Amino acid sequence: YAINPEAGFFGVAPGTSDQSNFSAMVTFEKNSIFTNVALTEDMDVWWEGMTKKPPAKLTDWTGQPWTPDCGRKAAHPNSRYTTPGSQCPVIDPDWEN
């Protein structure tokens, strides 16, 4: 099974946050696919710019342990997400018409 990314949004993850694009953050809370992002200890996604302060420990996009002082990015600069448009809280109700 898969979702059709053309039925929603496809975007670059780094820099996306509650402050920069709250609607996107709400939209991809579920039923979404992420590529080349970091993973938190509780298996959630994370990327640079998502929060003001990075988590203390992550698994980076290459699968290596990551800490804020390790000297490299946790998520790939071109990491992506895709998510169904129907989950967007501000989408026009007639978006599929």
Side-chain angles (χ1 to χ4, degrees), residues 4-13 28 33-35 78-85:
N4 180 354
E6 294 179 14
F9 305 109
F10 181 70
V12 177
F28 54 62
I33 298 171
F34 299 89
T35 60
N78 200 28
S79 55
R80 302 284 179 143
Y81 62 84
T82 185
T83 189

Side-chain angles (χ1 to χ4, degrees), residues 6 11 17 29 33 44 59 66 81 90:
E6 294 179 14
S17 69
E29 285 180 346
I33 298 171
D44 201 357
T59 300
W66 183 93
Y81 62 84
V90 296

Side-chain angles (χ1 to χ4, degrees), residues 25-93:
M25 296 294 287
V26 172
T27 301
F28 54 62
E29 285 180 346
K30 61 183 179 181
N31 303 319
S32 301
I33 298 171
F34 299 89
T35 60
N36 300 329
V37 296
L39 290 176
T40 64
E41 290 183 298
D42 61 353
M43 300 304 290
D44 201 357
V45 297
W46 188 86
W47 50 80
E48 282 73 16
M50 183 179 192
T51 58
K52 290 182 181 184
K53 183 178 177 183
K57 293 181 185 179
L58 295 168
T59 300
D60 74 13
W61 71 280
T62 68
Q64 301 300 310
W66 183 93
T67 60
D69 62 348
C70 73
R72 61 186 194 281
K73 301 272 188 189
H76 188 280
N78 200 28
S79 55
R80 302 284 179 143
Y81 62 84
T82 185
T83 189
S86 60
Q87 295 178 176
C88 180
V90 296
I91 200 163
D92 186 305

